[in-house]
Amino acid sequence: MTSAATDRETGTDEPNPSGALSELIREANVRGLSYRKMAARAADPDGELKLTSAYLQRLVENPPVKPPNPAQLRAIGAALGVSDSIPKRAAAEQWLEYQATELAGYGDEVRIIVAHLAGMTDLDLKRWRAMIEADERARRDGA
């Protein structure tokens, strides 16, 4: 899907490439956050990395083949004023065609189990659900 979006710094209509990270940055720009302002805030909190306005604009207009690295994603999070997890999920969706689901409040064990279940067939999921429910009944009944 391609639609025109006016660049706040250049005033030109640029195509909107499909891609979750590109769209995340583009939407911030459309809401009034210029690429220059983003770049001023785009520092990796864990290091010395700073992103330029040209890099951020390129992510929107002509995304590279390779996704940004973890430090760049942290800097993008800082630029947009959002948690690191938001640009990481968007990058995973854009470059890996992977949609992450947040399991807030659960530990790594639950996340790992859910990740394994997500790749199973419907028949396997039904079997695992029956086993989990049988275990819950046994615990409840004191077996």
PDB file of all heavy atoms in Angstrom, residues 113 130-143:
ATOM      1  N   ILE A 113       7.480 -21.197  26.442  1.00  0.00           N
ATOM      2  CA  ILE A 113       6.405 -22.159  26.189  1.00  0.00           C
ATOM      3  C   ILE A 113       5.448 -21.627  25.135  1.00  0.00           C
ATOM      4  O   ILE A 113       5.082 -22.331  24.187  1.00  0.00           O
ATOM      5  CB  ILE A 113       5.662 -22.496  27.504  1.00  0.00           C
ATOM      6  CG1 ILE A 113       6.587 -23.294  28.425  1.00  0.00           C
ATOM      7  CG2 ILE A 113       4.368 -23.260  27.220  1.00  0.00           C
ATOM      8  CD1 ILE A 113       6.097 -23.411  29.856  1.00  0.00           C
ATOM      9  N   ALA A 130      -5.336 -30.133  26.147  1.00  0.00           N
ATOM     10  CA  ALA A 130      -5.949 -31.217  26.923  1.00  0.00           C
ATOM     11  C   ALA A 130      -5.022 -31.649  28.058  1.00  0.00           C
ATOM     12  O   ALA A 130      -5.479 -31.895  29.184  1.00  0.00           O
ATOM     13  CB  ALA A 130      -6.286 -32.397  26.011  1.00  0.00           C
ATOM     14  N   MET A 131      -3.716 -31.725  27.782  1.00  0.00           N
ATOM     15  CA  MET A 131      -2.767 -32.116  28.833  1.00  0.00           C
ATOM     16  C   MET A 131      -2.703 -31.069  29.945  1.00  0.00           C
ATOM     17  O   MET A 131      -2.694 -31.409  31.134  1.00  0.00           O
ATOM     18  CB  MET A 131      -1.373 -32.333  28.234  1.00  0.00           C
ATOM     19  CG  MET A 131      -1.248 -33.600  27.413  1.00  0.00           C
ATOM     20  SD  MET A 131       0.439 -33.990  26.909  1.00  0.00           S
ATOM     21  CE  MET A 131       0.861 -32.619  25.845  1.00  0.00           C
ATOM     22  N   ILE A 132      -2.674 -29.797  29.574  1.00  0.00           N
ATOM     23  CA  ILE A 132      -2.605 -28.717  30.565  1.00  0.00           C
ATOM     24  C   ILE A 132      -3.874 -28.697  31.410  1.00  0.00           C
ATOM     25  O   ILE A 132      -3.815 -28.585  32.635  1.00  0.00           O
ATOM     26  CB  ILE A 132      -2.367 -27.356  29.872  1.00  0.00           C
ATOM     27  CG1 ILE A 132      -0.959 -27.322  29.270  1.00  0.00           C
ATOM     28  CG2 ILE A 132      -2.583 -26.199  30.858  1.00  0.00           C
ATOM     29  CD1 ILE A 132      -0.716 -26.168  28.319  1.00  0.00           C
ATOM     30  N   GLU A 133      -5.018 -28.831  30.767  1.00  0.00           N
ATOM     31  CA  GLU A 133      -6.283 -28.831  31.504  1.00  0.00           C
ATOM     32  C   GLU A 133      -6.391 -30.053  32.410  1.00  0.00           C
ATOM     33  O   GLU A 133      -6.900 -29.959  33.538  1.00  0.00           O
ATOM     34  CB  GLU A 133      -7.459 -28.749  30.533  1.00  0.00           C
ATOM     35  CG  GLU A 133      -7.576 -27.380  29.898  1.00  0.00           C
ATOM     36  CD  GLU A 133      -8.623 -27.307  28.793  1.00  0.00           C
ATOM     37  OE1 GLU A 133      -9.114 -28.362  28.334  1.00  0.00           O
ATOM     38  OE2 GLU A 133      -8.942 -26.167  28.395  1.00  0.00           O
ATOM     39  N   ALA A 134      -5.902 -31.220  31.970  1.00  0.00           N
ATOM     40  CA  ALA A 134      -5.912 -32.419  32.810  1.00  0.00           C
ATOM     41  C   ALA A 134      -5.020 -32.208  34.031  1.00  0.00           C
ATOM     42  O   ALA A 134      -5.390 -32.602  35.151  1.00  0.00           O
ATOM     43  CB  ALA A 134      -5.457 -33.639  32.004  1.00  0.00           C
ATOM     44  N   ASP A 135      -3.877 -31.587  33.846  1.00  0.00           N
ATOM     45  CA  ASP A 135      -2.983 -31.298  34.968  1.00  0.00           C
ATOM     46  C   ASP A 135      -3.647 -30.338  35.961  1.00  0.00           C
ATOM     47  O   ASP A 135      -3.561 -30.541  37.173  1.00  0.00           O
ATOM     48  CB  ASP A 135      -1.665 -30.709  34.454  1.00  0.00           C
ATOM     49  CG  ASP A 135      -0.701 -30.402  35.578  1.00  0.00           C
ATOM     50  OD1 ASP A 135      -0.206 -31.353  36.222  1.00  0.00           O
ATOM     51  OD2 ASP A 135      -0.466 -29.194  35.840  1.00  0.00           O
ATOM     52  N   GLU A 136      -4.324 -29.309  35.448  1.00  0.00           N
ATOM     53  CA  GLU A 136      -5.015 -28.367  36.335  1.00  0.00           C
ATOM     54  C   GLU A 136      -6.108 -29.067  37.145  1.00  0.00           C
ATOM     55  O   GLU A 136      -6.269 -28.810  38.338  1.00  0.00           O
ATOM     56  CB  GLU A 136      -5.624 -27.227  35.516  1.00  0.00           C
ATOM     57  CG  GLU A 136      -4.598 -26.254  34.989  1.00  0.00           C
ATOM     58  CD  GLU A 136      -5.216 -25.190  34.088  1.00  0.00           C
ATOM     59  OE1 GLU A 136      -6.407 -25.298  33.717  1.00  0.00           O
ATOM     60  OE2 GLU A 136      -4.491 -24.253  33.727  1.00  0.00           O
ATOM     61  N   ARG A 137      -6.883 -29.957  36.489  1.00  0.00           N
ATOM     62  CA  ARG A 137      -7.941 -30.696  37.202  1.00  0.00           C
ATOM     63  C   ARG A 137      -7.344 -31.579  38.281  1.00  0.00           C
ATOM     64  O   ARG A 137      -7.857 -31.643  39.409  1.00  0.00           O
ATOM     65  CB  ARG A 137      -8.757 -31.549  36.219  1.00  0.00           C
ATOM     66  CG  ARG A 137      -9.835 -30.789  35.487  1.00  0.00           C
ATOM     67  CD  ARG A 137     -10.781 -31.730  34.748  1.00  0.00           C
ATOM     68  NE  ARG A 137     -10.090 -32.622  33.804  1.00  0.00           N
ATOM     69  CZ  ARG A 137      -9.763 -32.274  32.554  1.00  0.00           C
ATOM     70  NH1 ARG A 137     -10.054 -31.056  32.090  1.00  0.00           N
ATOM     71  NH2 ARG A 137      -9.160 -33.124  31.776  1.00  0.00           N
ATOM     72  N   ALA A 138      -6.248 -32.253  37.962  1.00  0.00           N
ATOM     73  CA  ALA A 138      -5.594 -33.140  38.938  1.00  0.00           C
ATOM     74  C   ALA A 138      -5.094 -32.358  40.140  1.00  0.00           C
ATOM     75  O   ALA A 138      -5.257 -32.787  41.284  1.00  0.00           O
ATOM     76  CB  ALA A 138      -4.453 -33.904  38.269  1.00  0.00           C
ATOM     77  N   ARG A 139      -4.509 -31.211  39.926  1.00  0.00           N
ATOM     78  CA  ARG A 139      -4.025 -30.365  41.031  1.00  0.00           C
ATOM     79  C   ARG A 139      -5.201 -29.871  41.874  1.00  0.00           C
ATOM     80  O   ARG A 139      -5.119 -29.849  43.098  1.00  0.00           O
ATOM     81  CB  ARG A 139      -3.222 -29.199  40.507  1.00  0.00           C
ATOM     82  CG  ARG A 139      -1.882 -29.577  39.941  1.00  0.00           C
ATOM     83  CD  ARG A 139      -1.209 -28.340  39.317  1.00  0.00           C
ATOM     84  NE  ARG A 139      -0.054 -28.718  38.572  1.00  0.00           N
ATOM     85  CZ  ARG A 139       1.186 -28.687  39.043  1.00  0.00           C
ATOM     86  NH1 ARG A 139       1.401 -28.291  40.277  1.00  0.00           N
ATOM     87  NH2 ARG A 139       2.195 -29.054  38.305  1.00  0.00           N
ATOM     88  N   ARG A 140      -6.248 -29.450  41.209  1.00  0.00           N
ATOM     89  CA  ARG A 140      -7.429 -28.922  41.913  1.00  0.00           C
ATOM     90  C   ARG A 140      -8.104 -30.021  42.743  1.00  0.00           C
ATOM     91  O   ARG A 140      -8.561 -29.776  43.853  1.00  0.00           O
ATOM     92  CB  ARG A 140      -8.403 -28.329  40.887  1.00  0.00           C
ATOM     93  CG  ARG A 140      -9.580 -27.599  41.491  1.00  0.00           C
ATOM     94  CD  ARG A 140     -10.474 -26.952  40.451  1.00  0.00           C
ATOM     95  NE  ARG A 140     -10.870 -27.874  39.391  1.00  0.00           N
ATOM     96  CZ  ARG A 140     -10.560 -27.733  38.101  1.00  0.00           C
ATOM     97  NH1 ARG A 140      -9.869 -26.696  37.675  1.00  0.00           N
ATOM     98  NH2 ARG A 140     -10.954 -28.631  37.204  1.00  0.00           N
ATOM     99  N   ASP A 141      -8.144 -31.221  42.198  1.00  0.00           N
ATOM    100  CA  ASP A 141      -8.804 -32.331  42.889  1.00  0.00           C
ATOM    101  C   ASP A 141      -7.881 -33.013  43.905  1.00  0.00           C
ATOM    102  O   ASP A 141      -8.290 -33.971  44.561  1.00  0.00           O
ATOM    103  CB  ASP A 141      -9.301 -33.366  41.870  1.00  0.00           C
ATOM    104  CG  ASP A 141     -10.358 -32.789  40.940  1.00  0.00           C
ATOM    105  OD1 ASP A 141     -10.956 -31.747  41.303  1.00  0.00           O
ATOM    106  OD2 ASP A 141     -10.585 -33.380  39.866  1.00  0.00           O
ATOM    107  N   GLY A 142      -6.634 -32.514  44.009  1.00  0.00           N
ATOM    108  CA  GLY A 142      -5.694 -33.041  45.006  1.00  0.00           C
ATOM    109  C   GLY A 142      -5.068 -34.369  44.636  1.00  0.00           C
ATOM    110  O   GLY A 142      -4.618 -35.110  45.493  1.00  0.00           O
ATOM    111  N   ALA A 143      -5.007 -34.673  43.376  1.00  0.00           N
ATOM    112  CA  ALA A 143      -4.420 -35.935  42.942  1.00  0.00           C
ATOM    113  C   ALA A 143      -2.914 -35.877  42.902  1.00  0.00           C
ATOM    114  O   ALA A 143      -2.286 -34.905  42.860  1.00  0.00           O
ATOM    115  CB  ALA A 143      -4.949 -36.324  41.579  1.00  0.00           C
TER     116      ALA A 143
END
